Amino acid sequence: MRYDAPRDSLRPHRRPGYTGAALLALTFVALGCEPRELPPLAPPMDIGPADAATGSDAGVQAPAPTLSPASGPMSGYFEVRLDLSEQAYGPEDVQRVELGGLAGIYLTPEGDGLRFMVQGHPEPGAVPLVVQTPGGEQTVPDAFTYDPPRVAGIQRIAAVGASISQGFQSGAITAHGTLGSPPTWVARQLGAHIGLPLVTDGLFPAITLDDLNAPPLCDTPDVTGWVTRSVGQLVPKLTAVNEDNLPIAAGGRVDPTLIPSHLAISGSTVADVLYGPMGGGSTVIGHLVYEPYATIFDPVTTSPLDRAEALAPDILLAIDFYGNDVLLEEPPDDMAEEEALRALLVEDITAAVERMAGMGAEVFVGDIPPTSVMPEWRLQRGVEIAAAPPEEQDATAARLDAEVAIVDERTRIANEALYAAAARFDNVHRVPTAQAVLDIIDEPLVVDGERLTIEMFGGLVGLDGVHFTDTGSAHTANLVIAVMNEALGLDVPLVDLAPVLAADRESTAAFVEAGVPIDDCLR
């Protein structure tokens, strides 16, 4: 392994307060180790006698419970209702439901039935239903049918990357964010499967309007400090423990038995994607995502790319896998150190693209925009200059401009490395995320008559000032789909942004309705 201590000392400094790298503020540190053969994700599960069934009367077989709807896309993550009206047991007796071997989640009794969310399936066709109660298991063959994918031959989606891919929103990883993340939307539009490592509600508290400061700044807490404060509450929330009574990440997962293919880790770098999280917050998140049965203090033994390769996806998405590498926590000591950092970044990006291309999937990689054009950076620049004493304001401006110039140059070099690496492979396709951001800065995105921008309260960026709203994530998915359609000659429909915007709790209209005086806020 070439990621050793000297290399670690050259990793780019990251500014967690600016992006999903905030999760690096988590204080756990794990030991490094060599990747090894993928271990089983979950231990064998004994859920009762395989042939047990429950009838309405002794010796009389009750009609089988039924599902409504009885079919749906293999992308999953929609609700179905289980009718138990003819069963001797009620919804309150159901301990677990499986459909096609994958657990139903969010079980909710409803009258004489049970509502739950299905997690899709990597293969189309009829699948059995298994209902577990204290009396045993009831199996219903061919209880549900997963539709074929929209495009023949594209039925398994995997994703690697960082916070944008994971659906990090308003200072937190949430199930809501992951369900609305760009990779999830791409899979949904394809009718293809992607396994989501959803976290339990409240595991990471999100920034809300209650945390918004008064005009004219209308700013929210620094993401680094926000996540650091939530770390102290994390371990007690991981209710599952191992045989040594140590907390394991399974306690933070909605379904820890699921083998996920959505493998993005907030705060991760290219090296983390290649070799696995090597410490800090990305290690904790790595356990939550794909090694939930290890104690959170253990090293993560495999990398996201190891996992993705083992899943043999048809499509691999990596739309933000080096965004954290370009950030600047403090200036380099000298230009020699900066040149070394840039060289390692180019090397890692090249190696990552080569690894992705070798999987045999169609790969879609995204670039990143320069920091200096982002409204959030410009706003923070103005705030910091205004806070300096008058005699120091010119020097403060010069320092901030010099720092962002370093970040922008890293970004330019990283993007060029991506372009050069992608151009070598016919199955690697570039998603022009950077240009899309620049286009919206020049001309707002219009959805259902509303003009959306990437400014604070502009409809595309959420309360933490950096990460996407639901609408911003869906728009990012559309960028991927547009490239996919052109590159592969497909006609996959884009996400209809109007209903997403209408339901978006971080839309401009939602903020206005909540009483936020956005016209009085600096934007």
Side-chain angles (χ1 to χ4, degrees):
M1 182 175 70
R2 60 188 185 86
Y3 185 66
D4 49 18
R7 178 186 176 81
D8 189 50
S9 68
L10 291 174
R11 296 180 78 180
H13 297 293
R14 291 173 275 188
R15 177 172 288 168
Y18 192 79
T19 72
L23 291 170
L24 292 175
L26 294 166
T27 55
F28 303 116
V29 177
L31 300 174
C33 68
E34 293 285 352
R36 61 174 183 262
E37 184 177 354
L38 292 180
L41 182 67
M45 187 171 182
D46 181 5
I47 57 174
D51 58 352
T54 303
S56 57
D57 296 292
V60 179
Q61 183 67 43
T66 57
L67 290 168
S68 178
S71 64
M74 55 192 289
S75 52
Y77 299 98
F78 53 87
E79 277 196 340
V80 299
R81 186 179 189 276
L82 178 62
D83 184 357
L84 300 174
S85 59
E86 300 292 335
Q87 308 307 306
Y89 58 89
E92 68 280 357
D93 299 314
V94 176
Q95 299 170 324
R96 180 178 172 89
V97 175
E98 288 186 359
L99 197 59
L102 300 182
I105 56 177
Y106 303 125
L107 275 60
T108 306
E110 181 184 75
D112 56 3
L114 187 74
R115 299 195 72 85
F116 64 92
M117 181 178 285
V118 302
Q119 299 193 80
H121 203 271
E123 298 287 344
V127 296
L129 167 72
V130 177
V131 181
Q132 178 189 344
T133 69
E137 286 182 358
Q138 184 176 17
T139 299
V140 182
D142 301 338
F144 189 89
T145 300
Y146 281 112
D147 303 330
R150 184 180 295 272
V151 179
I154 299 181
Q155 60 188 52
R156 299 169 186 250
I157 311 298
V160 298
S163 55
I164 297 299
S165 289
Q166 192 171 21
F168 187 96
Q169 287 184 322
S170 297
I173 300 169
T174 63
H176 175 90
T178 302
L179 285 165
S181 66
T184 306
W185 270 115
V186 172
R188 193 174 289 133
Q189 295 305 103
L190 284 164
H193 184 252
I194 186 168
L196 305 181
L198 302 177
V199 299
T200 54
D201 289 343
L203 189 66
F204 293 97
I207 295 170
T208 69
L209 289 178
D210 291 337
D211 305 299
L212 192 68
N213 290 321
L217 294 182
C218 300
D219 56 335
T220 51
D222 173 75
V223 179
T224 302
W226 181 268
V227 176
T228 300
R229 287 190 296 273
S230 71
V231 167
Q233 306 168 11
L234 178 62
V235 174
K237 294 175 183 177
L238 299 177
T239 54
V241 296
N242 62 11
E243 62 275 9
D244 297 319
N245 207 37
L246 294 173
I248 58 176
R253 280 270 298 275
V254 172
D255 176 19
T257 68
L258 176 78
I259 298 177
S261 53
H262 193 314
L263 302 162
I265 298 172
S266 292
S268 64
T269 63
V270 187
D272 293 331
V273 172
L274 274 167
Y275 312 117
M278 300 298 292
S282 58
T283 292
V284 178
I285 306 308
H287 282 308
L288 280 170
V289 170
Y290 60 81
E291 289 190 2
Y293 285 97
T295 167
I296 58 173
F297 306 110
D298 286 344
V300 177
T301 60
T302 55
S303 75
L305 285 181
D306 291 335
R307 289 279 173 176
E309 189 169 27
L311 294 168
D314 302 304
I315 297 287
L316 177 63
L317 305 177
I319 58 174
D320 67 330
F321 71 100
Y322 59 86
N324 289 316
D325 291 83
V326 304
L327 300 178
L328 185 72
E329 185 174 280
E330 56 188 43
D333 293 335
D334 51 42
M335 199 58 199
E337 180 186 3
E338 178 63 19
E339 292 291 346
L341 289 170
R342 294 173 183 175
L344 286 173
L345 180 54
V346 169
E347 181 184 347
D348 279 350
I349 290 173
T350 302
V353 172
E354 290 175 349
R355 178 83 183 277
M356 296 177 202
M359 292 185 191
E362 296 293 335
V363 181
F364 295 85
V365 294
D367 56 13
I368 57 176
T371 297
S372 60
V373 305
M374 303 299 290
E376 172 66 12
W377 181 82
R378 290 188 276 112
L379 174 61
Q380 292 302 318
R381 177 184 183 276
V383 169
E384 193 165 340
I385 291 171
E391 67 275 11
E392 297 179 11
Q393 289 183 350
D394 288 345
T396 300
R399 174 180 57 80
L400 293 172
D401 291 344
E403 290 178 358
V404 81
I406 294 173
V407 175
D408 281 355
E409 181 62 11
R410 285 182 184 175
T411 300
R412 184 191 66 79
I413 291 171
N415 284 343
E416 289 187 354
L418 178 73
Y419 304 154
R424 295 167 48 203
F425 304 100
D426 292 338
N427 64 324
V428 178
H429 315 283
R430 288 169 41 195
V431 178
T433 313
Q435 187 59 52
V437 169
L438 296 174
D439 289 345
I440 292 173
I441 291 173
D442 289 339
E443 182 63 36
L445 176 69
V446 178
V447 176
D448 204 22
E450 185 171 345
R451 292 164 62 86
L452 307 182
T453 72
I454 59 172
E455 297 175 342
M456 192 69 167
F457 311 118
L460 295 175
V461 174
L463 275 175
D464 66 11
V466 177
H467 296 93
F468 290 144
T469 61
D470 293 345
T471 310
S473 287
H475 175 62
T476 304
N478 280 346
L479 300 178
V480 178
I481 294 169
V483 173
M484 187 178 298
N485 283 340
E486 181 177 358
L488 304 182
L490 306 178
D491 190 25
V492 178
L494 300 179
V495 180
D496 183 357
L497 297 183
V500 180
L501 177 63
D504 196 335
R505 53 195 181 185
E506 292 187 306
S507 68
T508 304
F511 288 135
V512 171
E513 185 177 352
V516 177
I518 61 175
D519 290 336
D520 299 328
C521 299
L522 294 174
R523 299 174 66 191

